[in-house]
mmCIF file of all heavy atoms in Angstrom:
data_model
loop_
_atom_site.group_PDB
_atom_site.id
_atom_site.type_symbol
_atom_site.label_atom_id
_atom_site.label_comp_id
_atom_site.label_asym_id
_atom_site.label_seq_id
_atom_site.Cartn_x
_atom_site.Cartn_y
_atom_site.Cartn_z
ATOM 1 N N ILE A 432 -25.997 3.234 -0.459
ATOM 2 C CA ILE A 432 -26.429 3.075 -1.857
ATOM 3 C C ILE A 432 -26.605 1.594 -2.141
ATOM 4 O O ILE A 432 -26.050 0.740 -1.438
ATOM 5 C CB ILE A 432 -25.406 3.654 -2.878
ATOM 6 C CG1 ILE A 432 -24.023 3.058 -2.691
ATOM 7 C CG2 ILE A 432 -25.355 5.164 -2.832
ATOM 8 C CD1 ILE A 432 -23.088 3.398 -3.829
ATOM 9 N N ARG A 433 -27.426 1.298 -3.141
ATOM 10 C CA ARG A 433 -27.720 -0.100 -3.461
ATOM 11 C C ARG A 433 -26.561 -0.691 -4.268
ATOM 12 O O ARG A 433 -26.157 -0.121 -5.282
ATOM 13 C CB ARG A 433 -29.017 -0.191 -4.270
ATOM 14 C CG ARG A 433 -29.670 -1.556 -4.236
ATOM 15 C CD ARG A 433 -30.953 -1.566 -5.045
ATOM 16 N NE ARG A 433 -30.694 -1.416 -6.468
ATOM 17 C CZ ARG A 433 -30.319 -2.420 -7.265
ATOM 18 N NH1 ARG A 433 -30.162 -3.638 -6.788
ATOM 19 N NH2 ARG A 433 -30.110 -2.217 -8.560
ATOM 20 N N LEU A 434 -26.032 -1.796 -3.788
ATOM 21 C CA LEU A 434 -24.952 -2.460 -4.501
ATOM 22 C C LEU A 434 -25.563 -3.520 -5.406
ATOM 23 O O LEU A 434 -26.329 -4.367 -4.942
ATOM 24 C CB LEU A 434 -23.999 -3.116 -3.490
ATOM 25 C CG LEU A 434 -22.716 -3.721 -4.036
ATOM 26 C CD1 LEU A 434 -21.815 -2.641 -4.658
ATOM 27 C CD2 LEU A 434 -21.949 -4.441 -2.935
ATOM 28 N N PRO A 435 -25.267 -3.494 -6.735
ATOM 29 C CA PRO A 435 -25.851 -4.489 -7.650
ATOM 30 C C PRO A 435 -25.547 -5.909 -7.189
ATOM 31 O O PRO A 435 -24.418 -6.203 -6.751
ATOM 32 C CB PRO A 435 -25.169 -4.184 -8.989
ATOM 33 C CG PRO A 435 -24.667 -2.787 -8.880
ATOM 34 C CD PRO A 435 -24.371 -2.566 -7.425
ATOM 35 N N VAL A 436 -26.538 -6.782 -7.296
ATOM 36 C CA VAL A 436 -26.403 -8.161 -6.825
ATOM 37 C C VAL A 436 -25.344 -8.929 -7.645
ATOM 38 O O VAL A 436 -24.825 -9.964 -7.220
ATOM 39 C CB VAL A 436 -27.786 -8.859 -6.840
ATOM 40 C CG1 VAL A 436 -28.199 -9.238 -8.258
ATOM 41 C CG2 VAL A 436 -27.806 -10.058 -5.909
ATOM 42 N N PHE A 437 -24.993 -8.345 -8.787
ATOM 43 C CA PHE A 437 -23.921 -8.873 -9.637
ATOM 44 C C PHE A 437 -22.657 -9.136 -8.809
ATOM 45 O O PHE A 437 -21.949 -10.125 -8.999
ATOM 46 C CB PHE A 437 -23.704 -7.831 -10.745
ATOM 47 C CG PHE A 437 -22.338 -7.762 -11.348
ATOM 48 C CD1 PHE A 437 -21.949 -8.667 -12.327
ATOM 49 C CD2 PHE A 437 -21.432 -6.759 -10.985
ATOM 50 C CE1 PHE A 437 -20.695 -8.581 -12.907
ATOM 51 C CE2 PHE A 437 -20.180 -6.669 -11.557
ATOM 52 C CZ PHE A 437 -19.808 -7.603 -12.525
ATOM 53 N N PHE A 438 -22.398 -8.251 -7.859
ATOM 54 C CA PHE A 438 -21.177 -8.380 -7.055
ATOM 55 C C PHE A 438 -21.190 -9.611 -6.151
ATOM 56 O O PHE A 438 -20.139 -10.121 -5.768
ATOM 57 C CB PHE A 438 -20.947 -7.116 -6.219
ATOM 58 C CG PHE A 438 -20.244 -6.024 -6.982
ATOM 59 C CD1 PHE A 438 -20.947 -4.910 -7.423
ATOM 60 C CD2 PHE A 438 -18.904 -6.116 -7.289
ATOM 61 C CE1 PHE A 438 -20.310 -3.905 -8.133
ATOM 62 C CE2 PHE A 438 -18.256 -5.125 -8.011
ATOM 63 C CZ PHE A 438 -18.964 -4.011 -8.436
ATOM 64 N N LYS A 439 -22.387 -10.071 -5.828
ATOM 65 C CA LYS A 439 -22.481 -11.254 -4.968
ATOM 66 C C LYS A 439 -21.852 -12.453 -5.687
ATOM 67 O O LYS A 439 -21.115 -13.240 -5.082
ATOM 68 C CB LYS A 439 -23.967 -11.500 -4.687
ATOM 69 C CG LYS A 439 -24.265 -12.624 -3.736
ATOM 70 C CD LYS A 439 -25.738 -12.595 -3.424
ATOM 71 C CE LYS A 439 -26.236 -13.893 -2.881
ATOM 72 N NZ LYS A 439 -27.692 -13.845 -2.660
ATOM 73 N N TYR A 440 -22.134 -12.556 -6.981
ATOM 74 C CA TYR A 440 -21.601 -13.682 -7.774
ATOM 75 C C TYR A 440 -20.116 -13.459 -8.069
ATOM 76 O O TYR A 440 -19.346 -14.405 -8.140
ATOM 77 C CB TYR A 440 -22.431 -13.873 -9.042
ATOM 78 C CG TYR A 440 -23.858 -14.185 -8.661
ATOM 79 C CD1 TYR A 440 -24.852 -13.189 -8.648
ATOM 80 C CD2 TYR A 440 -24.200 -15.459 -8.209
ATOM 81 C CE1 TYR A 440 -26.137 -13.457 -8.224
ATOM 82 C CE2 TYR A 440 -25.488 -15.745 -7.780
ATOM 83 C CZ TYR A 440 -26.452 -14.746 -7.785
ATOM 84 O OH TYR A 440 -27.716 -15.031 -7.343
ATOM 85 N N VAL A 441 -19.761 -12.194 -8.248
ATOM 86 C CA VAL A 441 -18.341 -11.879 -8.463
ATOM 87 C C VAL A 441 -17.551 -12.311 -7.224
ATOM 88 O O VAL A 441 -16.495 -12.946 -7.326
ATOM 89 C CB VAL A 441 -18.151 -10.368 -8.732
ATOM 90 C CG1 VAL A 441 -16.675 -9.982 -8.682
ATOM 91 C CG2 VAL A 441 -18.745 -9.987 -10.074
ATOM 92 N N LEU A 442 -18.089 -11.997 -6.038
ATOM 93 C CA LEU A 442 -17.410 -12.332 -4.786
ATOM 94 C C LEU A 442 -17.257 -13.837 -4.610
ATOM 95 O O LEU A 442 -16.245 -14.314 -4.102
ATOM 96 C CB LEU A 442 -18.219 -11.785 -3.603
ATOM 97 C CG LEU A 442 -18.074 -10.305 -3.312
ATOM 98 C CD1 LEU A 442 -19.160 -9.856 -2.357
ATOM 99 C CD2 LEU A 442 -16.697 -10.035 -2.706
ATOM 100 N N LYS A 443 -18.280 -14.560 -5.043
ATOM 101 C CA LYS A 443 -18.229 -16.003 -4.804
ATOM 102 C C LYS A 443 -17.344 -16.722 -5.826
ATOM 103 O O LYS A 443 -16.614 -17.653 -5.462
ATOM 104 C CB LYS A 443 -19.646 -16.591 -4.821
ATOM 105 C CG LYS A 443 -19.633 -18.063 -4.484
ATOM 106 C CD LYS A 443 -20.943 -18.591 -4.008
ATOM 107 C CE LYS A 443 -20.796 -20.041 -3.548
ATOM 108 N NZ LYS A 443 -22.048 -20.629 -3.188
ATOM 109 N N TYR A 444 -17.431 -16.307 -7.086
ATOM 110 C CA TYR A 444 -16.731 -17.079 -8.127
ATOM 111 C C TYR A 444 -15.567 -16.333 -8.791
ATOM 112 O O TYR A 444 -14.493 -16.891 -8.973
ATOM 113 C CB TYR A 444 -17.728 -17.492 -9.220
ATOM 114 C CG TYR A 444 -18.867 -18.308 -8.697
ATOM 115 C CD1 TYR A 444 -20.148 -17.769 -8.573
ATOM 116 C CD2 TYR A 444 -18.658 -19.645 -8.301
ATOM 117 C CE1 TYR A 444 -21.199 -18.523 -8.067
ATOM 118 C CE2 TYR A 444 -19.709 -20.400 -7.788
ATOM 119 C CZ TYR A 444 -20.969 -19.837 -7.682
ATOM 120 O OH TYR A 444 -21.991 -20.586 -7.166
ATOM 121 N N VAL A 445 -15.807 -15.088 -9.179
ATOM 122 C CA VAL A 445 -14.820 -14.418 -10.046
ATOM 123 C C VAL A 445 -13.563 -13.980 -9.270
ATOM 124 O O VAL A 445 -12.451 -14.291 -9.689
ATOM 125 C CB VAL A 445 -15.468 -13.196 -10.771
ATOM 126 C CG1 VAL A 445 -14.464 -12.542 -11.713
ATOM 127 C CG2 VAL A 445 -16.714 -13.641 -11.528
ATOM 128 N N THR A 446 -13.782 -13.289 -8.146
ATOM 129 C CA THR A 446 -12.622 -12.761 -7.409
ATOM 130 C C THR A 446 -11.688 -13.903 -6.936
ATOM 131 O O THR A 446 -10.477 -13.810 -7.129
ATOM 132 C CB THR A 446 -13.083 -11.901 -6.217
ATOM 133 O OG1 THR A 446 -14.014 -10.940 -6.711
ATOM 134 C CG2 THR A 446 -11.932 -11.175 -5.572
ATOM 135 N N PRO A 447 -12.241 -15.005 -6.361
ATOM 136 C CA PRO A 447 -11.311 -16.082 -5.960
ATOM 137 C C PRO A 447 -10.532 -16.640 -7.148
ATOM 138 O O PRO A 447 -9.343 -16.910 -7.026
ATOM 139 C CB PRO A 447 -12.239 -17.162 -5.356
ATOM 140 C CG PRO A 447 -13.492 -16.456 -5.021
ATOM 141 C CD PRO A 447 -13.633 -15.310 -5.958
ATOM 142 N N VAL A 448 -11.223 -16.799 -8.294
ATOM 143 C CA VAL A 448 -10.537 -17.360 -9.472
ATOM 144 C C VAL A 448 -9.418 -16.416 -9.935
ATOM 145 O O VAL A 448 -8.307 -16.859 -10.258
ATOM 146 C CB VAL A 448 -11.551 -17.623 -10.617
ATOM 147 C CG1 VAL A 448 -10.832 -17.931 -11.921
ATOM 148 C CG2 VAL A 448 -12.461 -18.783 -10.232
ATOM 149 N N ILE A 449 -9.690 -15.101 -9.946
ATOM 150 C CA ILE A 449 -8.650 -14.153 -10.383
ATOM 151 C C ILE A 449 -7.431 -14.257 -9.449
ATOM 152 O O ILE A 449 -6.300 -14.308 -9.910
ATOM 153 C CB ILE A 449 -9.176 -12.689 -10.407
ATOM 154 C CG1 ILE A 449 -10.257 -12.531 -11.468
ATOM 155 C CG2 ILE A 449 -8.034 -11.722 -10.688
ATOM 156 C CD1 ILE A 449 -10.880 -11.142 -11.504
ATOM 157 N N ILE A 450 -7.688 -14.318 -8.142
ATOM 158 C CA ILE A 450 -6.550 -14.380 -7.206
ATOM 159 C C ILE A 450 -5.785 -15.680 -7.385
ATOM 160 O O ILE A 450 -4.553 -15.697 -7.370
ATOM 161 C CB ILE A 450 -6.999 -14.212 -5.740
ATOM 162 C CG1 ILE A 450 -7.765 -12.887 -5.563
ATOM 163 C CG2 ILE A 450 -5.775 -14.197 -4.809
ATOM 164 C CD1 ILE A 450 -8.306 -12.660 -4.181
#
Side-chain angles (χ1 to χ4, degrees):
Chain A
I432 56 169
R433 201 179 68 81
L434 187 64
V436 76
F437 152 81
F438 276 106
K439 184 172 161 183
Y440 299 98
V441 169
L442 281 166
K443 184 159 186 185
Y444 302 106
V445 182
T446 309
V448 169
I449 294 177
I450 303 177

